[in-house]
Amino acid sequence: MPLYICATPIGHLDDVSARLLQTLRDVALICAEDTRLTQRLLARYEIHTPLSSVHQHTPPGKISALADRLKDGDSMALVTDSGTPGISDPGPALVREAAARGVDVIPIPGPSALVAALSISGFDAQRFSFLGFLPRKPGKLKKALESTLSREETLVLYESPYRVRKLFEALAEIAPAHPIVACRELTKKFEETLRGTAPEILQTLAPRKE
C-alpha cells in the first residue's frame, strides 16, 4: 500500500485540504515527527488513526520495519511538525526505504513555510535556492553566507528565533545593503514580516527581548 507524504498546517489549523483529512482518516498508521503536535491536528478534525513517531533519532531498524509494513500492505501517512515533510526534517529516510521496496510514494501537497514566505517577499522567484538552516558557529556561518550571497538569485533560509540576531549581525557585516524579507509565525496569531536591510531589521529588533 502507498506511503502518503502529507503537508500539514504551518500554524493555522484551518489550512488543510479535504484530501489531506481523508488520507489521514484512511491510512493504517500516521508517522509523525512529534506525535503530540500531530495529535492537536487530529483532535481538531476528530481523526483517530494510530500514531507512531518518526524523527531524526529514530533507529534504522524501526524505519526498516515500517517500510516492511508498507510492503506487506499497510498504508501510511508521513507528516512533519508543520509544513511539507522532507523539507529540513528527517522524512526522507522512510521515503527511501519505502521506495527501495517498490512501495508507491504519493504526495498530498499543501503548506510549506518556505513557499509561503517566498510568495509574499516580492522577490523574483523564477530562480531561487533554499539553504535550509545555516551553520551555528560564527566563522562557519560567515563562510556559508559569503559563498552564497554572490548568486544572482533569491535565497531562502530558515533560522531559529534564538539565533536570528546573530544571522542579521553577520549579514550586516557582510552585505549591509542587501534587501531582506524576514517572516516569522506565518499563519499564526503573531505573524510578522520585516522588510529592509540587515542593519534596519536589527534596529527594529533592538528593543525586543531574545
Side-chain angles (χ1 to χ4, degrees):
M1 294 293 285
L3 171 64
Y4 296 97
I5 309 305
C6 297
T8 54
I10 59 176
H12 202 299
L13 292 183
D14 287 344
D15 290 339
V16 297
S17 67
R19 186 184 180 204
L20 168 68
L21 297 178
Q22 193 60 54
T23 298
L24 295 179
R25 290 189 176 100
D26 290 346
V27 295
L29 182 70
I30 298 171
C31 300
E33 184 179 3
D34 187 328
T35 56
R36 296 165 299 179
L37 292 177
T38 300
Q39 186 58 53
R40 297 176 191 171
L41 176 65
L42 301 187
R44 169 73 170 77
Y45 292 99
E46 299 183 347
I47 297 172
H48 306 291
T49 306
L51 287 163
S52 182
S53 61
V54 173
H55 47 71
Q56 62 182 337
H57 302 298
T58 300
K62 180 176 180 179
I63 297 294
S64 180
L66 289 169
D68 286 341
R69 283 185 59 180
L70 284 161
K71 180 65 175 177
D72 290 341
D74 279 345
S75 60
M76 297 182 191
L78 177 67
V79 301
T80 185
D81 289 349
S82 62
T84 301
I87 310 299
S88 287
D89 80 31
L94 182 57
V95 171
R96 286 193 298 269
E97 289 291 328
R101 288 163 174 75
V103 172
D104 289 334
V105 181
I106 299 173
I108 307 295
S112 169
L114 80 91
V115 173
L118 190 60
S119 73
I120 64 172
S121 70
F123 294 157
D124 183 2
Q126 187 70 25
R127 292 178 62 235
F128 69 91
S129 288
F130 175 56
L131 307 179
F133 287 93
L134 296 182
R136 296 186 182 187
K137 294 184 178 180
K140 291 184 177 181
L141 171 60
K142 183 178 179 181
K143 185 175 180 179
L145 289 171
E146 289 174 338
S147 68
T148 56
L149 287 174
S150 60
R151 298 182 189 177
E152 295 183 359
E153 60 185 343
T154 298
L155 303 177
V156 186
L157 59 91
Y158 289 163
E159 187 52 281
S160 161
Y162 304 106
R163 299 193 300 271
V164 72
R165 288 179 198 260
K166 297 293 185 183
L167 171 63
F168 288 129
E169 288 168 358
L171 285 167
E173 178 184 348
I174 299 168
H178 244 62
I180 297 170
V181 174
C183 304
R184 75 178 187 98
E185 299 289 298
L186 287 174
T187 78
K188 301 177 184 177
K189 181 178 180 180
F190 298 107
E191 178 175 338
E192 182 179 31
T193 299
L194 301 177
R195 300 173 189 268
T197 62
E200 290 168 343
I201 292 175
L202 279 171
Q203 189 172 18
T204 300
L205 296 177
R208 305 183 186 183
K209 295 181 179 179
E210 292 287 349

